[in-house]
Structures are given as structure tokens and as C-alpha cells.
């Protein structure tokens, strides 16, 4: 039986900042020698020449070495470059623990493995699918998972093509599937995803002409990234095992499109967190560690029937645009502040906090009308009040909360840099969309988009190196 897992998320304040991991070790939350894997987001461009991944990798391995890890170079550190929009650089650390409550309920388990060497001529071909699939099966064994249905997340990092590796293949009389280095990131990621799908029984072994072309072939739990820093697949497999003990569970779901907030909530429910029919971030009550999301621009150039130009934009690559769009759709920050409700006299004779409550602050105008505050990021939140705690929410959820609080408006970024107000019929309409009461509106026209024709589900994963 594998050991129970402790998992923590830490911010990355600069390219080489590993102080979050260092604090966890110094405070005794985790032991350096027990760290199994780190999955993180860095602030680079996510491309072939994104060296922020290498810098972050070096910083975290130095902390592990300093903390006494016997082989820090063996720990999978999977870095995804690009924190466009409101995404924030961070790292999620998985480690075994000896201090976990016993339970017969399913709890988090992690298996890490490395595939055989992936040659340049393997990328985009069945040979790579087979090597990744073999590595995933090995990771399942290490995690103690027998049933593929108990696997909820598989993160891979695989090699891509460079001019040097393409030349190496040619020198050995071999050819590569393509000779463009940039697109090879997409090709490596999609091939890796099919390897995961094969290992978990989601699809049969694909033909070479289906790889990177047949979009009906996908994995619902794969998260694939590629880069120049390795020559085989790094695999981090996360699932649930009954009887392992611990405090954490994991779930998953598939987003139907880039705006599918319900898909995110479905994944959270699948992890075992009970939620109401129309959930709000406050329903999470601090029980969520992280959400891993992968996305790509729809090849049709449309989202819910509306045309976008991400795939036609020559100035900003669609990889960056879709990340910013999905990140923005998934979060809008609502401030919560602590209100002191009861005090007591401590051992040293000083009065101290005994109980406090979290409250949603409102802005009151000269005319007595109230407004709920919302912020587009932590910087604009801190401009208003540094001690406010951010809670993530979608725009629709904020508007619904405002109506429930009988507020007249939602004021976005009240302290700047650009203030925006949602009020009147627009506020009522957005709240009604969230609560499912659009038909009860009077004097307001809300356009509804007809459901799209049914089509085979596909997994939304980014084909770009992270």
C-alpha cells in the first residue's frame, strides 16, 4: 500500500523564487526527502525558448537538495510556461506524509514514472504512444491503482523537436514526422495524450495517420506539456485509493468549451466536495487546493456560435489568448474581510481575538444605495484594502450575489486603475442567467443561444509547451 499524500500550493513571486517550498520544509509541513513531484506555472512565454522553466527547475531542486533529499535530480518537476491575463505563477507540491488520518474512504495517491527514451523520430508516431502508455501503466502500479476509473489526472512532460534533434535523426538515417520546431510542441503533446488514453483504456491504439488529426480520439484526464529540457516522458499520475489514508481526494471532468464553468464545478463535485445546484466560491470553504485546467482554441474559430479571431491573430499567438480567456472566465475576485466578533484575555493579560467572521463588504453611496465590490486581480484588490482576502467567482456569480444582497450595483476595481459599474437591467439580467430565472424578468430581453448539435466529446487540452 502506498503512503498517504500531503499536497500544498505555493505562490512564485519571481522567476527563481522557491521560498514557498522552503517554508513548507522549514515549518515541518512536508519533508524534503518525501517530495514526489512538483507541478507549476511559470511566467515565461511557454515556447521553445522559454527558459523560465529551467530557472524554476533549478531553484526548486536546490531547495530539495538543501533540505536533504537524497536524489533531487530524480524528482519530476513539471513546469508549464505562460501566466497570461489573471493567471498567477505558482507551484503545487505532492509529498508523502507519516502524519495522515486513517480512513477507509478513497484518498489521494500519486505515482511518478519515466518512460523509455523518446527518440526524435518517435514524436508524432505510434512508437511514442506506446512508450508513454507503458510509463503510465508503471505510474499506476506505483500509485497502487488497479482500476483506470480511479485515475483522475495524468500530467506528462515530453521532449519536442529542435534543429539539433532533427539533425541527429537524419544522421542516423531516420526521418521525423515534421521538421518545424514550434508545431512539434503541439504534436508531442497530442501524441502523449493518446498514450495516456491507450494506457487507461479510453481508446484503442491509434494509427499513425490518426495522431494529431482525429479529434474524436482523446483522454479525459490527460494534461500534456513538452519542452527542450528532457528526452523522455516525465509522468505524474494522480488518483484515489481506498484505505491509503490522508485528507485529500481528487476528481475530474471535461470542459465542453472554453467558457464551461459548469465543467469546472463538475470536477470539484467529482472530488467529493458537496455543492449546491448553483455553487458559489464561498461554498468551497477553503477545501480546494488547486484546479488544473488545460485549454486550446476551438479549431472552428467559434465559441458557442460566436466567431473569434484567436487562430487568425498574427500579433499574439492563440496559445496565450486562450489561456487568458479561460483564466478570466474561471475567476473574478470578490473581497472578503475578517470582522472581530468576540475577544478574550490571553495568558499574558492582553486582549486578543477569540472569534471572527468573514463578511462581504459593500460600498454605500451618498444616496444610500449599496454596491458589491469585485476585482479583476489581487493588485487592484490590494489598492482598495490590503487586508481583504480574495475569493474567486465568475462574473455571473458576483452579479447573482449582489442581487441576493439587495445591492444596486457591482463596482469592479473601485480603487482603479479602471473602475467599471454593472447595474440596472444589465445586473438583473446577468444575475438571472446565473440563477436560471431569465424567464421571470420583466421588461428585459435576454438573448439565448440555442444548443449546438450533439458531437463527439473531445478533451480540451493545450497543444503547447508549458
Amino acid at each position: 500500500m502506498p503512503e498517504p499524500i500531503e499536497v500544498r500550493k505555493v505562490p512564485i513571486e519571481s522567476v527563481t523564487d522557491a521560498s514557498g517550498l522552503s517554508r513548507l520544509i522549514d515549518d515541518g509541513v512536508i519533508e524534503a526527502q518525501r517530495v514526489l513531484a512538483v507541478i507549476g506555472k511559470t511566467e515565461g512565454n511557454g515556447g521553445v525558448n522559454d527558459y523560465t522553466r529551467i530557472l524554476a527547475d533549478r531553484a526548486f531542486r536546490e531547495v530539495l537538495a538543501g533540505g536533504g533529499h537524497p536524489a533531487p535530480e530524480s524528482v519530476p518537476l513539471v513546469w508549464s510556461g505562460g501566466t497570461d491575463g489573471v493567471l498567477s505563477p505558482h507551484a503545487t507540491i505532492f509529498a508523502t506524509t507519516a502524519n495522515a488520518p486513517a480512513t477507509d474512504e478513497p484518498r489521494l495517491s500519486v505515482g511518478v514514472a519515466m518512460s523509455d527514451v523518446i527518440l526524435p523520430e518517435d514524436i508524432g508516431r505510434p512508437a511514442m504512444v506506446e512508450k508513454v502508455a507503458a510509463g503510465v501503466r508503471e505510474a499506476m502500479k506505483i500509485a497502487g491503482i488497479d482500476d483506470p476509473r480511479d485515475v483522475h489526472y495524468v500530467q506528462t512532460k515530453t521532449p519536442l523537436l529542435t534543429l539539433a534533434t532533427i539533425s541527429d535523426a537524419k544522421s542516423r538515417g531516420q526521418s521525423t514526422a515534421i521538421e518545424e520546431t514550434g508545431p512539434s510542441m503541439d504534436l508531442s503533446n497530442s501524441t502523449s495524450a493518446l498514450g495516456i488514453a491507450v494506457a487507461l483504456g479510453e481508446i484503442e491504439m491509434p494509427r499513425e495517420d490518426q495522431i494529431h488529426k482525429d479529434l474524436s480520439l482523446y483522454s479525459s484526464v490527460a494534461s500534456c506539456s513538452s519542452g527542450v529540457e528532457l528526452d523522455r516522458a516525465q509522468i505524474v499520475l494522480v488518483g484515489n485509493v481506498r484505505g491509503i489514508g490522508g485528507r485529500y481526494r481528487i476528481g475530474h471532468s471535461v470542459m465542453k468549451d472554453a467558457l464551461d464553468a459548469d465543467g469546472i464545478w463538475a470536477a470539484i463535485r467529482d472530488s467529493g466536495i458537496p455543492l449546491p445546484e448553483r455553487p458559489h466560491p464561498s461554498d468551497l470553504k477553503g477545501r480546494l487546493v488547486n484546479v488544473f485546467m488545460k485549454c486550446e482554441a476551438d479549431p472552428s474559430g467559434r465559441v458557442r456560435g460566436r466567431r473569434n479571431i484567436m487562430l487568425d491573430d498574427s500579433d499574439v499567438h492563440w496559445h496565450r489568448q486562450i489561456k487568458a480567456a479561460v483564466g478570466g472566465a474561471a475567476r473574478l475576485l470578490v473581497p472578503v474581510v475578517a470582522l472581530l466578533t468576540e475577544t478574550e484575555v490571553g495568558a499574558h493579560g492582553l486582549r486578543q481575538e477569540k472569534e471572527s467572521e468573514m463578511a462581504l463588504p459593500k460600498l454605500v453611496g451618498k444616496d444610500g444605495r449599496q454596491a458589491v465590490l469585485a476585482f479583476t486581480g489581487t493588485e487592484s484588490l490590494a489598492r482598495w484594502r490590503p487586508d481583504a482576502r480574495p475569493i474567486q467567482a465568475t462574473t455571473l456569480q458576483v452579479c447573482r450575489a449582489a442581487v441576493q444582497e439587495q445591492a444596486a450595483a457591482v463596482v469592479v476595481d473601485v480603487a482603479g486603475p479602471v473602475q467599471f459599474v454593472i447595474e440596472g437591467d444589465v445586473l438583473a439580467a446577468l444575475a438571472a442567467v446565473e440563477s436560471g430565472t431569465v424567464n421571470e424578468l420583466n421588461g428585459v430581453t435576454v438573448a439565448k443561444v440555442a444548443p449546438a448539435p450533439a458531437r463527439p466529446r473531445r478533451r480540451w487540452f493545450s497543444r503547447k509547451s508549458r
Side-chain angles (χ1 to χ4, degrees):
M1 179 73 70
E3 294 185 273
I5 299 296
E6 182 66 39
V7 54
R8 295 298 178 99
K9 182 175 67 175
V10 297
I12 297 177
E13 301 297 344
S14 65
V15 177
T16 57
D17 175 38
S19 61
L21 173 60
S22 182
R23 280 193 298 271
L24 290 176
I25 295 172
D26 292 343
D27 294 344
V29 177
I30 62 174
E31 299 176 50
Q33 63 270 24
R34 286 181 171 270
V35 173
L36 294 177
V38 177
I39 300 174
K41 288 290 295 181
T42 67
E43 58 205 76
N45 60 26
V48 175
N49 64 338
D50 180 0
Y51 297 105
T52 64
R53 300 189 299 256
I54 297 175
L55 294 172
D57 191 278
R58 180 183 302 167
F60 273 69
R61 291 192 194 279
E62 287 176 353
V63 170
L64 291 176
H69 195 290
E73 70 282 352
S74 67
V75 179
L77 304 186
V78 184
W79 299 105
S80 167
T83 51
D84 303 271
V86 295
L87 300 177
S88 181
H90 67 277
T92 304
I93 298 109
F94 297 89
T96 60
T97 178
N99 302 311
T103 176
D104 291 329
E105 292 297 313
R107 289 294 183 263
L108 193 73
S109 185
V110 177
V112 299
M114 296 287 282
S115 75
D116 290 339
V117 172
I118 297 173
L119 299 172
E121 58 266 29
D122 294 338
I123 297 174
R125 290 172 174 157
M128 180 175 176
V129 175
E130 292 173 346
K131 290 180 179 180
V132 171
V136 171
R137 295 187 189 102
E138 178 63 21
M140 281 184 64
K141 292 179 183 178
I142 295 171
I145 297 175
D146 300 318
D147 190 341
R149 292 175 296 182
D150 291 327
V151 177
H152 293 275
Y153 175 58
V154 182
Q155 176 69 59
T156 62
K157 186 78 173 187
T158 53
L160 47 75
L161 292 173
T162 65
L163 292 178
T165 58
I166 293 171
S167 297
D168 172 66
K170 289 181 177 179
S171 71
R172 293 181 284 104
Q174 301 294 325
S175 66
T176 54
I178 59 175
E179 294 191 1
E180 295 81 17
T181 58
S184 76
M185 295 186 294
D186 300 347
L187 183 62
S188 181
N189 291 341
S190 57
T191 310
S192 181
L194 296 184
I196 295 168
V198 168
L200 301 181
E202 296 176 285
I203 64 171
E204 298 295 328
M205 185 68 188
R207 303 185 309 271
E208 183 169 343
D209 65 309
Q210 292 178 299
I211 297 174
H212 199 57
K213 296 180 177 67
D214 187 345
L215 298 183
S216 69
L217 303 179
Y218 67 96
S219 170
S220 62
V221 298
S223 177
C224 304
S225 183
S226 55
V228 299
E229 58 266 37
L230 70 176
D231 62 359
R232 60 188 72 203
Q234 273 185 341
I235 300 163
V236 180
L237 182 143
V238 188
N240 295 318
V241 172
R242 191 175 294 276
I244 189 176
R247 302 187 298 123
Y248 302 94
R249 285 183 60 173
I250 186 172
H252 78 275
S253 185
V254 177
M255 294 179 68
K256 296 177 182 178
D257 59 36
L259 301 177
D260 184 21
D262 288 340
I264 302 171
W265 288 117
I268 296 171
R269 285 193 182 95
D270 192 51
S271 72
I273 296 179
L275 295 171
E277 181 180 357
R278 288 285 181 175
H280 183 273
S282 60
D283 297 318
L284 297 173
K285 300 177 182 177
R287 295 173 291 177
L288 186 67
V289 176
N290 205 358
V291 176
F292 297 97
M293 301 170 61
K294 281 287 190 176
C295 52
E296 68 173 10
D298 193 305
S300 71
R302 293 178 178 271
V303 175
R304 302 189 180 183
R306 298 287 185 177
R307 185 176 75 91
N308 62 72
I309 52 88
M310 283 187 280
L311 295 173
D312 292 325
D313 194 334
S314 299
D315 295 319
V316 180
H317 198 281
W318 65 263
H319 286 155
R320 311 196 69 168
Q321 296 190 49
I322 190 63
K323 281 186 291 183
V326 171
R331 65 180 294 181
L332 184 64
L333 298 181
V334 177
V336 177
V337 295
L339 299 180
L340 189 64
T341 58
E342 187 176 349
T343 62
E344 62 182 359
V345 177
H348 300 287
L350 300 176
R351 186 159 296 277
Q352 63 189 25
E353 176 184 334
K354 181 177 181 181
E355 292 183 4
S356 64
E357 295 178 350
M358 304 309 291
L360 178 69
K362 296 178 183 176
L363 185 69
V364 181
K366 293 181 179 180
D367 58 0
R369 295 194 306 159
Q370 296 182 343
V372 167
L373 303 181
F375 299 83
T376 56
T378 53
E379 290 185 3
S380 58
L381 173 63
R383 289 170 68 114
W384 170 69
R385 186 164 171 172
D387 65 334
R389 169 187 170 188
I391 297 289
Q392 295 182 15
T394 66
T395 303
L396 296 179
Q397 290 168 338
V398 174
C399 291
R400 182 190 180 190
V403 170
Q404 290 176 334
E405 294 285 332
Q406 298 182 332
V410 173
V411 178
V412 181
D413 290 346
V414 64
V418 179
Q419 187 184 108
F420 181 75
V421 179
I422 305 172
E423 59 185 336
D425 290 344
V426 175
L427 175 63
L430 293 175
V433 171
E434 174 63 19
S435 63
T437 58
V438 173
N439 294 333
E440 300 176 14
L441 292 176
N442 293 319
V444 177
T445 300
V446 177
K448 293 183 178 181
V449 179
R455 62 178 181 177
R457 290 195 315 160
R458 60 168 297 187
R459 185 188 174 277
W460 289 81
F461 67 95
S462 175
R463 295 175 176 167
K464 180 175 187 260
S465 171
R466 302 298 184 206

